Amino acid sequence: MLRKENLKIGNFSIYQDTDFFLYGTDAVVLSDFIEVKKNDIVVEFGTGNLIIPILLWAKNKKFKKLYALEIQKEVCELAVLNRNINNLQDKIEVINADLKDALKIFGSEFANVVFTNPPYRKVNSGTINPNIKKAIARHEIMCTIEDVVKSAMQILKFGGRFYMVYRSDRLTDALYYLRLYKLEPSLIRFVHQNKDKESSLVLIEAKKGKQCTLKVDKPLFVDEMEYYGELQKEDAE
């Protein structure tokens, strides 16, 4: 079922389809974490309904152009609808494609920033949703964390920035592949539902080809955040 939601920031809104994966806290915290500059060329892997690009533009209006990749055709069509209702045709291009083909699509040294809210769960972990659209968003069915990091490295410029939100209990996997593909972790921030809960999510920034001193930012407590729209509680915990 398709429903329209006011994002409560400017005049921006978004359509969500309850048959698809609904955006949640992870998308909002990642949109706050990503740093974009005025002339940046930005690429997103796995845009879903386009929530993060819309929030990025609504909050800072800085990037030059954003390319949002989405492998599922029907989900991609919803992303296009959301781009159009927010009049972002000149700023955002939605591409129905596999992130593993990013190098073929864009070429090397293309983007200043790549970001992603990737599937968190391995195929052999947890219960796989019978709805394939939701299953692809949650489990590594169409791509793995290694696929994501490798593709980001291939299209980022030297010194380019990679941002992702991931499960805290898989931080070791993320850091391993970042180092393997020469994306040096520069900043991490743990996300907690509240001060009494363990961290369920972690935000990661990495830079291509740069020697960085890793900074661990202060924890982010979700119950103290400003929200955008109607958040859905997904299975990040």
Side-chain angles (χ1 to χ4, degrees):
M1 182 178 72
L2 201 64
R3 69 187 189 210
K4 190 175 184 180
E5 295 176 5
N6 184 335
L7 290 177
K8 301 175 184 178
I9 177 170
N11 295 317
F12 293 90
S13 58
I14 195 167
Y15 279 103
Q16 296 219 79
D17 192 321
T18 54
D19 289 334
F20 302 165
F21 190 81
L22 304 178
Y23 82 87
T25 304
D26 46 5
V28 174
V29 297
L30 181 58
S31 71
D32 285 338
F33 185 69
I34 297 166
E35 179 187 353
V36 289
K37 300 174 183 176
K38 184 176 181 180
N39 293 315
D40 279 348
I41 300 296
V42 183
V43 175
E44 180 186 17
F45 292 159
T47 195
N49 58 20
L50 206 71
I51 179 63
I52 301 175
I54 292 171
L55 288 178
L56 274 180
W57 184 257
K59 286 182 281 187
N60 60 48
K61 295 181 172 64
K62 281 188 178 179
F63 56 79
K64 182 177 181 180
K65 185 81 173 183
L66 189 148
Y67 299 85
L69 269 60
E70 172 56 53
I71 194 169
Q72 300 187 75
K73 187 174 185 297
E74 289 178 274
V75 180
C76 191
E77 291 170 353
L78 180 59
V80 170
L81 172 63
N82 285 325
R83 178 198 64 184
N84 293 348
I85 66 169
N86 289 290
N87 299 312
L88 293 172
Q89 294 92 325
D90 292 339
K91 286 293 176 180
I92 298 174
E93 182 175 342
V94 180
I95 303 172
N96 183 201
D98 189 334
L99 67 85
K100 296 190 292 292
D101 293 327
L103 182 61
K104 296 177 185 176
I105 296 168
F106 302 114
S108 61
E109 298 285 319
F110 176 79
N112 304 100
V113 173
V114 175
F115 68 86
T116 186
N117 179 7
Y120 297 150
R121 296 181 178 271
K122 296 180 180 180
V123 173
N124 60 357
S125 69
T127 302
I128 296 181
N129 197 303
N131 180 325
I132 189 61
K133 295 181 182 68
K134 293 183 178 181
I136 287 172
R138 288 175 174 165
H139 281 79
E140 293 180 334
I141 295 171
M142 302 300 292
C143 69
T144 65
I145 181 62
E146 181 174 10
D147 295 327
V148 171
V149 173
K150 180 180 178 181
S151 291
M153 178 276 295
Q154 289 174 332
I155 66 170
L156 274 171
K157 297 180 179 181
F158 182 83
R161 306 177 304 284
F162 174 65
Y163 297 93
M164 68 182 295
V165 58
Y166 211 47
R167 285 176 58 98
S168 298
D169 59 10
R170 294 198 66 192
L171 175 59
T172 303
D173 292 339
L175 295 179
Y176 171 79
Y177 287 113
L178 288 168
R179 270 280 175 90
L180 182 65
Y181 288 101
K182 311 301 181 187
L183 295 177
E184 188 66 15
S186 52
L187 177 65
I188 62 174
R189 188 177 193 187
F190 291 99
V191 181
H192 304 249
Q193 196 64 34
N194 56 55
K195 291 181 179 178
D196 296 322
K197 294 268 192 174
E198 294 182 354
S199 171
S200 57
L201 298 171
V202 60
L203 297 159
I204 305 170
E205 176 194 71
K207 296 179 180 179
K208 181 177 176 178
K210 290 278 191 175
Q211 292 297 316
C212 303
T213 299
L214 177 62
K215 177 183 177 182
V216 180
D217 204 348
K218 62 184 179 181
L220 174 62
F221 300 106
V222 173
D223 64 346
E224 297 177 0
M225 286 180 55
E226 177 183 3
Y227 281 115
Y228 306 96
E230 298 298 322
L231 289 180
Q232 306 299 316
K233 183 176 176 59
E234 297 293 357
D235 63 348
E237 296 184 3

